[in-house]
Amino acid sequence: MAATAGGSPGDVADVVRAELRQHGAAVVELADTLSDEDFRAFGAHLGDAMPEIAPAVQPFVTDGVILNLVTRHAHTADTSLQPFAENSLSLHSEGSGRTAGEQPRYIVLMCEDPGADPASAQTVLVSMSVVLQRLSAEDRAVLSRTRYADLPAGETILREHEGREVFAFRDFLHDELKWVNEGDDGDDAVDRALQALLAGMYESGASGVLWRRGLLVVIDNTYFFHGRTAGVSSPAHPRHLKRLRLR
């Protein structure tokens, strides 16, 4: 059940903080959507907004930090356009290809318009703690010694954060994942651990967000993987979410 909130950006942030402490995510019904100014002000109560600097997304960026996730394209193989297309998005933690200090803590999504088919393009959340429980002790140990090849030492897929084990990982689907193991684990052991992680991410237990105007969702990036089901593009009535990433 979503909490309800109204009033100033600070009042909304108070409701969200309470939900985050209890659940690691917050789902809040707003009386109406926040203006861009109030959306940024709300975010400032939780952290610092990260600039959207990728060249491909610039046509969808407002004020340097708000990404307008508008469904404009049919299914595409261009990964830079997939957030704005009918494609599903695989489960991931945000910024897994960056060092821990460069990853966002919170992902904020606000629905301006659910689009022509609100049942499509649902945001999906999967609890990291549940996935962790699905892994063997051996697989967890291997993942704690394995990192993306282009990240520095210590930036492993499974790591400790605030006394909890958390993941920094993306399902790359058909693209190659280049990894480095910092221990003496063999290739077979790493492959088994990665396969077990992917299987655990996609087992039953995901939660889907059915978007409606004024719904605000905040995801703690150290508690949940997130992704998206496939959507439907409708030029006359596109889906539109606004996103902030906060550190």
Side-chain angles (χ1 to χ4, degrees), residues 19-226:
E19 293 292 304
L20 289 171
R21 283 193 297 269
Q22 185 172 0
H23 304 294
V27 181
V28 177
E29 295 271 11
L30 301 173
D32 198 2
T33 57
L34 301 173
S35 67
D36 286 350
E37 181 180 2
D38 284 346
F39 192 44
R40 295 194 315 273
F42 162 76
H45 285 278
L46 299 180
D48 296 323
M50 298 174 62
E52 297 287 348
I53 60 176
V57 307
Q58 292 311 302
F60 300 92
V61 176
T62 305
D63 298 334
V65 295
I66 299 174
L67 185 65
N68 293 277
L69 295 165
V70 182
T71 306
R72 295 291 190 199
H73 306 282
H75 193 279
T76 176
D78 186 340
T79 55
S80 66
L81 293 179
Q82 286 176 355
F84 315 100
E86 293 182 343
N87 301 61
S88 61
L89 299 178
S90 63
L91 290 171
H92 61 283
S93 61
E94 193 74 19
S96 66
R98 304 178 181 184
T99 63
E102 296 173 324
Q103 295 171 14
R105 178 62 185 265
Y106 301 118
I107 301 96
V108 183
L109 299 168
M110 181 180 67
C111 182
E112 287 283 339
D113 194 317
D117 181 6
S120 72
Q122 292 186 37
T123 299
V124 177
L125 278 65
V126 173
S127 167
M128 290 185 181
S129 65
V130 170
V131 174
L132 187 66
Q133 293 168 13
R134 293 170 175 165
L135 299 177
S136 69
E138 179 182 358
D139 287 338
R140 293 197 297 268
V142 171
L143 293 172
S144 72
R145 295 187 288 263
T146 304
R147 59 177 167 84
Y148 292 0
D150 55 355
L151 286 177
E155 297 290 338
T156 51
I157 290 170
L158 182 61
R159 63 187 70 162
E160 186 171 311
H161 177 78
E162 297 180 353
R164 296 178 288 111
E165 289 183 288
V166 304
F167 293 97
F169 184 72
R170 170 183 291 273
D171 175 7
F172 282 84
L173 297 176
H174 303 297
D175 293 334
E176 182 182 10
L177 167 58
K178 297 181 179 180
W179 54 262
V180 169
N181 183 264
E182 298 179 353
D184 57 2
D185 305 299
D187 290 0
D188 288 346
V190 175
D191 286 342
R192 282 196 301 270
L194 290 171
Q195 290 169 7
L197 172 56
L198 287 165
M201 290 165 64
Y202 287 97
E203 282 186 34
S204 60
S207 300
V209 178
L210 186 63
W211 288 105
R212 49 195 178 271
R213 180 174 170 82
L215 193 67
L216 178 77
V217 174
V218 183
I219 305 165
D220 188 322
N221 199 37
T222 69
Y223 277 87
F224 289 94
F225 294 106
H226 66 284

